[in-house]
Amino acid sequence: MADADGPSRSSQQETVRPVLLGASLKLYLDVDASVAWATSLAEIARAHPAVVAGDVRLFILPSLPALDRVITAVAGSPISVGAQDLFWAERGAYTGAVSGADLARLGCRYVEVGHAERRHVFGEDDAIIRRKLAAAVRNGLTPVLCVGEETQQEADLAGETCIAQIESAIADADDLDDLVVAYEPEWAIGQAEPAAPEHVTAVVAQLRSHLARRGLAGAAVIYGGSAKPGLLSTLSSGVDGLFLGRFAHEPQAFASIIDEAVGTHREGEEP
């Protein structure tokens, strides 16, 4: 309770938020290469004090055929595994679909939803993304919701675009209490360089404020879009971590980003 002198001591308490690092293999590696990569990462994670302590949290998203073997490869390590996609229904006449219930039973914790490539290559629209995110939550999977503007624009406008995407995606999700938002400006995906740090931190600040107003202050907001070694140091506490692609396919590069994350492990206001 606040007193006449101002806010209570407890309201001013700060808590340390872990840095969240995720990596998607997309369809770059075959099953054997995916397992070898995951095995190397598991060895790195088991030996890294910050990962063991929970100061840095890791998740990886292999291709669907590699999931079972990758989960086995990282068992007993501080690495969580997720899927790059799921279907909006658990059962039915849906040839080629992947059930969120089956992903959870395999041992997945995360699932990616709304990536730009799913939108543009596979034709997924806001309605499909909304149904998929609801299916993830229904099956106890943490959605990694990808949002981002198509073309380069001012941070305020980019933030508005992303907030609209978030609101659309979570509209049908019941009891949403665990969410990762991956800010991935589409114009930065696959490029030589990520978006400028000042742009990223400005957009992420808007997303954090919006999520807090929606009662989702505990959601992590991470940056993707040509994220690579050296970026996290420039972003510092402006993001909760990184969502990595091709720049994490070399285990030692991923290890260097973990080391970098230790330097950005910081105190932030308690949600």
Side-chain angles (χ1 to χ4, degrees), residues 128-147:
I128 291 174
I129 291 165
R130 182 161 54 249
R131 295 178 75 182
K132 286 189 171 187
L133 191 138
V137 174
R138 188 169 63 243
N139 286 288
L141 299 166
T142 298
V144 180
L145 173 62
C146 299
V147 299

Side-chain angles (χ1 to χ4, degrees), residues 19-23 41-42 44-46 48 51 54 56-60 77-81 109-110 244 254 257-258 261:
V19 179
L20 181 63
L21 300 178
L41 286 189
I44 291 168
R46 290 188 187 100
H48 203 293
V51 179
V56 179
R57 293 191 292 129
L58 307 177
F59 71 90
I60 57 176
S77 78
I79 297 178
S80 297
V81 180
R109 177 179 173 186
Y110 293 91
L244 303 156
F254 204 149
I257 297 172
I258 296 173

Side-chain angles (χ1 to χ4, degrees), residues 24 26 59 61 83-84 111-119 124-126 129-130 133 142-149 161-167 169-170 179-186 189 207 220-225 243-244:
S24 171
K26 301 191 178 184
F59 71 90
L61 310 179
Q84 298 175 25
V111 66
E112 188 175 4
V113 179
H115 192 278
E117 290 159 2
R118 296 298 309 182
R119 289 179 177 269
E124 295 187 2
D125 58 14
D126 288 345
I129 291 165
R130 182 161 54 249
L133 191 138
T142 298
V144 180
L145 173 62
C146 299
V147 299
E149 70 277 18
T161 298
C162 294
I163 287 170
Q165 291 172 344
I166 292 170
E167 284 301 305
I170 68 175
L179 175 68
V180 176
V181 175
Y183 171 51
E184 295 198 307
E186 294 185 24
I189 296 174
L207 303 189
V221 184
I222 60 179
Y223 172 79
F243 191 28
L244 303 156

Side-chain angles (χ1 to χ4, degrees), residues 80-103:
S80 297
V81 180
Q84 298 175 25
D85 187 35
L86 83 166
F87 192 59
W88 62 68
E90 282 72 60
R91 299 284 175 255
Y94 303 111
T95 301
V98 177
S99 164
D102 291 339
L103 293 176

Side-chain angles (χ1 to χ4, degrees), residues 153-226:
Q153 53 195 220
E154 295 295 326
D156 286 349
L157 185 56
E160 291 175 5
T161 298
C162 294
I163 287 170
Q165 291 172 344
I166 292 170
E167 284 301 305
S168 174
I170 68 175
D172 294 341
D174 295 326
D175 301 321
L176 178 61
D177 58 5
D178 197 8
L179 175 68
V180 176
V181 175
Y183 171 51
E184 295 198 307
E186 294 185 24
W187 51 269
I189 296 174
Q191 301 304 307
E193 297 296 330
E198 58 271 19
H199 175 85
V200 174
T201 54
V203 174
V204 169
Q206 294 178 66
L207 303 189
R208 283 172 165 170
S209 294
H210 178 76
L211 290 166
R213 289 193 296 271
R214 295 284 274 107
L216 295 168
V221 184
I222 60 179
Y223 172 79
S226 302

